[in-house]
C-alpha cells in the first residue's frame, strides 16, 4: 500500500473519531446544564478517598423533630372523678374538665399530629389491682359527656402510674394520664401515705431508664357531687356544688414527642406547668455587641472578627468603668412556662471562672428586636455585669437548673377534708412531685447551659 495514502487515511480516521467523541461530550454537557443536580455541598469538590478530608469524621445531623406521635390516653374513672363529669341536663353547661377533655380527645382522634392512638379507662378490680380497660373513642367520648355511672374504687396512685407506663412502653407510646391525683392507698396498707414520694419514684423508674421525661399540667374545674378526700376526718366525704377542684394531665414519653403533645395536641395549656427530665444540649446564643438597643458599656468586643455567633469576648473592666453587655439566646425549643421572662429572671444562674459578675435584666424579644436582622434570631436577651476580672482568661456560664415551680407548693395541702375552706389544693401534691423530681436528681442538673469565654484585654 502507498505509505502516503496510508498516512492520509489514518489522519482522516482520527479526525472522524475526535468529532464523534466531541459531539457526544457536548450533548452530555447540554443535558447536565439543563438538569439541576442535587448535591450535599455544591461548589466543593468531592475529596478523593485517600485525602485527609475524605477520612475526616462527618458530624452527624441533629435528630429530626418528631412530627407525629403514638398516644395512649388514660382517664381515671373512680368515684372521686364523678363530680368533674356530672350527668348532663339541658340547663347545665359542661364543666371546664369536660370541655378540655372533649377538645383533647377530638384532637387525638382526628388531628394530624397523632399517627395511632388507644384509649383506656383506669380503675381498680376487686382484688385491689389496677385495671386499664381498652375502650373505643365513642365510649370514651360518651363517658366524658354523660358521666361515670359505675361504683368504682380508686386505684392507689403509684399503682395506676406504673400500670399505665408499662402499657405505653410496650408500643413506645406517649402516655397521657388524666386524674385528680388524690392518693387513695390500699386500706390494708395505710403506710403508703408515708412512702408516697418514694412509691411515685418507683412507679416511674422505667420512664427514667428509657430517657423519657415527665410534664405535669394542673387545672381546676367546678365539681358537682360527692367529693372523696384523702383525709377522712371529720367527714368521710362531702357533697360539693361547683367548688373548684384540681385535676392534672401528666404526659410521659420521649422529650420531642412530649413537646408535640404539648404544642400541637393540647395547645391551650393551663398556666400551671412543671417539667422534669427536660434538657436542651444545644441552645443558640451570642454576645450582642453592635445593636443600638443593647449597646454595651466599657471595653468589650468579640474575640473573632469573622464568627457568625460571638461566643468569646475580649474585655477589660475598670474600677470606674465596669463592663456590661448582653447575651442573646434562642429559647424557642423550650416549653412555654420556661420561656417566661419572669421565670428566667428568677431561676437563671450565672457562674464565673476568673471574673466577678452578676446578672442584670432578662427580657423577651418583642416587635422591635424582631425587626432588627442581627437580633431577630433570639427570643431572649440577658444582660451581664462584669465589674472585675481575677484572671486573664475565664468563662461566664448561664444555666437554667431543674426546679419545681412555685405553684406546686401552692396547690399542695396536708388536709384536703374541706375543699370549700381551702380550695384548689391536692393532698400531699408536693410529695408526689418530689417523687418525680427524685427520678432525675442525678441525671440532669440543668435544663440548659451556655458558656461565654473571655480574654482580658491588655492593650
Amino acid at each position: 500500500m502507498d505509505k502516503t495514502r496510508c498516512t492520509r487515511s489514518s489522519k482522516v480516521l482520527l479526525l472522524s473519531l475526535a468529532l464523534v467523541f466531541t459531539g457526544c461530550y457536548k450533548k452530555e454537557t447540554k443535558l447536565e446544564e439543563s438538569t439541576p443536580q442535587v448535591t450535599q455541598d455544591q461548589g466543593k469538590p468531592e475529596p478523593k478517598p485517600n485525602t485527609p478530608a475524605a477520612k475526616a469524621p462527618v458530624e452527624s445531623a441533629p435528630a429530626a423533630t418528631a412530627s407525629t406521635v403514638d398516644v395512649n390516653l388514660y382517664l381515671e374513672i373512680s368515684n372521686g372523678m364523678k363530680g368533674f363529669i356530672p350527668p348532663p341536663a339541658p340547663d347545665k353547661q359542661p364543666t371546664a374538665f369536660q370541655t378540655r377533655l372533649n377538645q383533647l380527645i377530638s384532637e387525638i382522634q382526628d388531628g394530624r399530629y397523632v399517627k395511632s392512638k388507644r384509649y383506656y379507662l383506669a380503675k381498680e378490680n376487686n382484688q385491689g389491682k389496677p385495671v386499664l380497660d381498652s375502650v373505643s373513642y365513642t365510649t370514651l367520648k360518651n363517658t366524658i359527656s354523660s358521666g361515670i355511672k359505675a361504683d368504682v374504687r380508686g386505684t392507689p396512685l403509684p399503682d395506676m402510674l406504673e400500670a399505665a407506663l408499662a402499657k405505653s412502653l410496650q408500643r413506645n407510646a406517649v402516655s397521657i394520664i388524666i386524674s385528680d391525683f388524690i392518693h387513695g392507698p390500699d386500706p390494708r396498707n395505710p403506710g403508703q401515705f408515708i412512702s408516697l414520694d418514694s412509691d411515685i419514684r418507683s412507679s416511674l423508674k422505667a420512664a427514667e431508664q428509657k430517657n423519657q421525661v415527665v410534664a405535669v399540667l394542673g387545672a381546676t374545674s367546678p365539681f358537682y357531687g360527692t367529693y372523696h378526700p384523702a383525709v377522712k376526718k371529720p367527714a368521710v366525704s362531702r357533697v360539693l356544688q361547683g367548688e373548684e377542684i384540681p385535676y392534672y394531665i401528666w404526659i410521659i414519653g420521649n422529650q420531642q414527642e412530649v413537646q408535640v403533645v404539648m404544642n400541637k395536641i393540647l395547645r391551650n395549656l393551663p398556666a400551671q406547668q412543671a417539667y422534669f427530665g427536660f434538657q436542651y444540649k444545644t441552645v443558640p446564643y451570642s454576645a450582642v455587641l453592635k445593636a443600638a438597643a443593647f449597646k454595651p458599656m466599657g471595653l468589650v468586643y468579640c474575640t473573632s472578627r469573622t464568627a457568625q455567633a460571638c461566643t468569646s469576648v475580649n474585655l477589660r473592666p475598670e474600677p470606674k468603668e465596669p463592663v456590661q453587655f448582653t447575651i442573646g439566646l434562642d429559647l424557642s425549643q423550650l416549653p412555654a412556662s420556661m420561656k417566661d421572662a419572669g421565670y428566667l429572671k428568677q431561676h437563671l444562674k450565672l457562674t464565673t471562672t476568673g471574673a466577678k459578675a452578676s446578672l442584670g435584666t432578662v427580657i423577651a424579644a418583642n416587635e422591635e428586636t424582631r425587626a432588627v436582622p442581627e437580633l431577630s434570631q433570639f427570643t431572649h436577651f440577658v444582660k451581664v455585669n462584669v465589674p472585675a476580672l481575677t484572671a486573664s482568661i475565664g468563662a461566664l456560664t448561664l444555666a437554667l437548673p431543674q426546679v419545681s415551680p412555685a405553684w406546686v407548693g401552692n396547690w399542695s395541702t396536708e388536709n384536703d377534708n374541706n375543699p370549700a375552706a381551702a380550695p384548689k389544693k391536692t393532698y400531699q401534691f408536693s410529695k408526689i412531685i418530689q417523687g418525680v423530681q427524685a427520678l432525675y436528681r442525678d441525671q440532669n442538673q440543668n435544663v440548659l447551659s451556655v458558656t461565654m469565654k473571655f480574654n482580658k484585654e491588655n492593650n
Side-chain angles (χ1 to χ4, degrees), residues 377-431:
Q377 61 186 303
F378 302 118
T379 61
H380 295 79
F381 302 91
V382 180
K383 189 167 289 186
V384 177
N385 305 308
V386 186
L389 300 182
T390 58
S392 58
I393 60 172
L396 310 169
T397 299
L398 283 174
L400 183 63
Q402 302 271 3
V403 296
S404 178
W407 72 267
V408 169
N410 295 336
W411 282 39
S412 185
T413 181
E414 292 297 317
N415 188 348
D416 65 342
N417 191 259
N418 187 359
K424 299 183 180 181
K425 294 185 182 295
T426 299
Y427 179 72
Q428 290 194 346
F429 186 60
S430 289
K431 204 168 184 180

Side-chain angles (χ1 to χ4, degrees), residues 76 124 130 154-164 177 179-186 192 196 199-200 203-204 248 250 426-429 432-433:
E76 186 194 351
E124 181 182 272
T155 305
L157 186 54
D159 294 348
M160 181 184 71
L161 289 173
E162 186 172 8
I177 304 169
S179 166
D180 60 5
F181 279 79
I182 296 177
H183 181 42
D186 188 329
Q192 287 182 338
L196 180 56
D199 290 342
I200 291 292
S203 72
L204 296 174
Y248 303 90
W250 287 33
T426 299
Y427 179 72
Q428 290 194 346
F429 186 60
I432 293 171
I433 296 302

Side-chain angles (χ1 to χ4, degrees), residues 47-60:
K48 295 179 181 180
N50 294 329
T51 63
K55 293 181 180 179
V58 178
E59 187 174 324
S60 58

Side-chain angles (χ1 to χ4, degrees), residues 136 206 242 297 363:
S136 66
M297 293 176 57
I363 66 171

Side-chain angles (χ1 to χ4, degrees), residues 16-30:
S16 299
L17 289 171
L19 289 172
V20 169
F21 284 118
T22 303
C24 291
Y25 173 76
K26 288 182 178 178
K27 184 177 182 180
E28 186 177 341
T29 302
K30 289 178 180 178

Side-chain angles (χ1 to χ4, degrees), residues 420-450:
K424 299 183 180 181
K425 294 185 182 295
T426 299
Y427 179 72
Q428 290 194 346
F429 186 60
S430 289
K431 204 168 184 180
I432 293 171
I433 296 302
Q434 286 168 13
V436 182
Q437 277 186 298
L439 281 174
Y440 305 100
R441 186 163 48 212
D442 299 324
Q443 188 186 77
N444 303 326
Q445 292 185 345
N446 295 316
V447 176
L448 64 88
S449 176
V450 299

